[in-house]
Amino acid sequence: MTHPASAPTQDWQPARYAEQASFVPVLARDLVSWLRPRAGERVLDLGCGTGVLTAAIAAAGATVVGVDASPAMVEAARAAGIDAHVAHAETLLFNDEFDAVFSNAMLHWTRDIDAVLHGVHRALRRDGRFVAELGGKGNIAAIVGAARTVLDAHGVTVPAAPWYFPSLDEMSDALRRAGFHVEQIVLFGRPTPLPGGIVDWLATFGGPLLQRLTPERRAAIAHAIEARLAPTHRGADGVWVADYVRLRFIARRV
Ligand code: BEZ
C-alpha cells in the first residue's frame, strides 16, 4: 500500500506498519477475488508494501511482481519471498507485459494520477485489467477536519488535498483519459477499527499533515487532534474507529 510519489510524504517503517496497519491488507483481502488471478498469469502489485496481498495473488498460481516506493517495505516483502522492487508509481517503466495490475491503498498517495494511470496502461497487455482500491471522496474527512482545526489554531498550513480521494466521476474520468474502459466502480463507507488511537494512526499514516513539524510539536498537535476526535471516534469499549471510505474499480485496457 505504501507508494508515495517522487517526494515521499510518509516514512514507512515495516515494524510500525505490522503493529499499526496490518488491517490494511486484511480488510482488502476480498479485492483479490475482484482480481480473480489465474494460474499462469503475470500480475503487477503496485504499492505492494510488505507483500501480504501479493502472496495471496501468488497463491492462486499467478506470477506476481511487487513494486513499492519504500526501500524498507520492499526489503520486508523480499524477506517474505516476494519478487519485489523499488519503483515509483508515477514513473513505471513496464511495457505490455502484465495480464493484470493490482493495487490496494496506494493510489491516494499519488500526486499525479494521470502519470500513474498512463504507466499502468502501458504496463498492461491489450485487454489487461486494472483492479484497485483507494480512499474515495469523504475518506477520513472527520480526521482531516479535526487536524485542520488544530493545525489552524497553531498557525500551521495544511495542504488543500493531503491525499487523492476522488469521487466516482473523478476516478472514472481519470481512467478513461488514460485509455481504460471502466467495467465496475463503487464507493462505500467502511468504518475501520484501529489497533491503537489517533496518535498512533497519525504516526503511521499522517505524514502529509504533520511531517513538517518538529517531533515535540508533532506530538503535542497529534494529542490535541486525538482529544478532539475522542467523543465521536472512540467507542465505549475504548476502540477507536476511523471514518474510512473506499473506492474500488475494475478497468480494462482498450
Ligand atoms: C487509506 O487507506 O484510506 C488512507 C490511509 C492513510 C492515509 C490516507 C488514506
Side-chain angles (χ1 to χ4, degrees):
M1 61 94 17
T2 58
H3 204 99
S6 39
T9 52
Q10 185 69 51
D11 173 26
W12 296 108
Q13 297 171 16
R16 172 184 285 284
Y17 194 81
E19 201 180 287
Q20 295 296 332
S22 56
F23 65 86
V24 174
V26 169
L27 296 180
R29 200 156 179 108
D30 65 317
L31 189 62
V32 176
S33 31
W34 279 48
L35 178 68
R36 297 214 277 150
R38 290 184 289 273
E41 283 193 320
R42 256 176 80 73
V43 177
L44 175 67
D45 184 358
L46 182 58
C48 64
T50 55
V52 174
L53 294 179
T54 331
I57 296 166
T63 300
V64 195
V65 176
V67 293
D68 202 286
S70 159
M73 298 302 255
V74 165
E75 198 180 315
R78 284 186 173 169
I82 305 294
D83 177 16
H85 305 269
V86 176
H88 293 272
E90 292 172 10
T91 53
L92 291 176
L93 295 175
F94 303 104
N95 264 305
D96 248 342
E97 55 194 283
F98 291 101
D99 300 294
V101 176
F102 175 88
S103 182
N104 177 47
M106 181 284 290
L107 292 175
H108 46 244
W109 293 97
T110 196
R111 301 249 178 75
D112 183 348
I113 192 65
D114 289 328
V116 176
L117 295 179
H118 278 108
V120 170
H121 190 271
R122 253 194 322 272
L124 285 167
R125 297 186 177 127
R126 186 168 289 280
D127 283 333
R129 60 206 188 279
F130 182 27
V131 176
E133 176 175 313
L134 67 155
K137 191 174 173 64
N139 193 39
I140 56 167
I143 296 177
V144 174
R148 271 190 204 291
T149 303
V150 172
L151 287 162
D152 275 355
H154 285 77
V156 180
T157 311
V158 183
W163 293 277
Y164 174 66
F165 296 145
S167 66
L168 287 172
D169 282 349
E170 286 163 345
M171 190 74 244
S172 301
D173 287 349
L175 285 162
R176 286 189 199 108
R177 273 199 306 276
F180 286 96
H181 169 68
V182 180
E183 290 188 348
Q184 207 173 333
I185 186 161
V186 292
L187 183 76
F188 57 98
R190 197 203 61 203
T192 297
L194 301 177
I198 297 297
V199 170
D200 293 316
W201 187 91
L202 286 166
T204 311
F205 298 110
L209 297 171
L210 305 181
Q211 68 170 349
R212 283 160 300 142
L213 304 174
T214 61
E216 296 73 27
R217 230 171 152 216
R218 194 183 306 146
I221 286 177
H223 279 95
I225 297 168
E226 184 174 85
R228 224 184 145 77
L229 288 165
T232 47
H233 285 62
R234 186 174 56 200
D237 54 3
V239 175
W240 290 81
V241 178
D243 53 328
Y244 276 38
V245 175
R246 314 317 287 167
L247 191 154
R248 272 187 189 189
F249 60 81
I250 302 175
R252 202 162 286 276
R253 180 194 151 167
V254 287

